[in-house]
Amino acid sequence: MSDFPPGVLTTIRHALVLNLLDAHRRVGNDLPACDLYPDIIRSLKWVHSQDPEAADRVVWNALEHVAGHTETEGGPDPENAARCLSFSLTRNTPPFEAWSRDQADRFVAAARVLS
């Protein structure tokens, strides 16, 4: 387990939440085929390279926050948000290579079932 500087994981989570909500506002139901900002995806891949469990927690918390926002203020369907994240992880974000679709889907699916 890595020791991240205080606030780093929270900042990445907030950025991911805001990016998913903004993408939903821009593209609506086309969210699963929308690219998230490369810097956010690069940050998430960096966390994953240092501590996969921490990356799982960041994604789980972000998707939970988005789901809560959806219930109260109208946001993306949680499944569409997860598919958007998975799609974005398949993009090349130097210095991290593109993930395979299977790798991205497995990572997001594993993060979604955390409790």
Side-chain angles (χ1 to χ4, degrees):
M1 195 159 166
S2 296
D3 187 24
F4 293 98
V8 167
L9 298 179
T10 301
T11 300
I12 294 169
R13 177 179 52 89
H14 283 301
L16 180 56
V17 167
L18 293 174
N19 195 189
L20 284 165
L21 294 174
D22 178 62
H24 177 259
R25 280 190 280 277
R26 287 184 289 115
V27 301
N29 291 334
D30 291 332
L31 185 62
C34 182
D35 278 321
L36 297 175
Y37 294 127
D39 288 341
I40 295 170
I41 298 303
R42 181 178 300 109
S43 298
L44 185 57
K45 287 179 179 179
W46 170 72
V47 171
H48 186 269
S49 73
Q50 301 300 308
D51 186 345
E53 290 178 7
D56 285 344
R57 288 189 308 275
V58 167
V59 169
W60 182 82
N61 281 309
L63 292 175
E64 285 291 305
H65 187 90
V66 168
H69 191 276
T70 299
E71 292 174 10
T72 60
E73 299 179 39
D77 174 76
E79 180 64 29
N80 284 345
R83 288 175 51 208
C84 175
L85 175 57
S86 183
F87 177 77
S88 296
L89 289 166
T90 65
R91 300 302 188 211
N92 192 30
T93 50
F96 302 99
E97 294 183 6
W99 288 10
S100 70
R101 185 64 184 200
D102 183 58
Q103 180 185 12
D105 287 346
R106 282 185 289 120
F107 168 69
V108 173
R112 290 183 74 190
V113 298
L114 288 179
S115 56

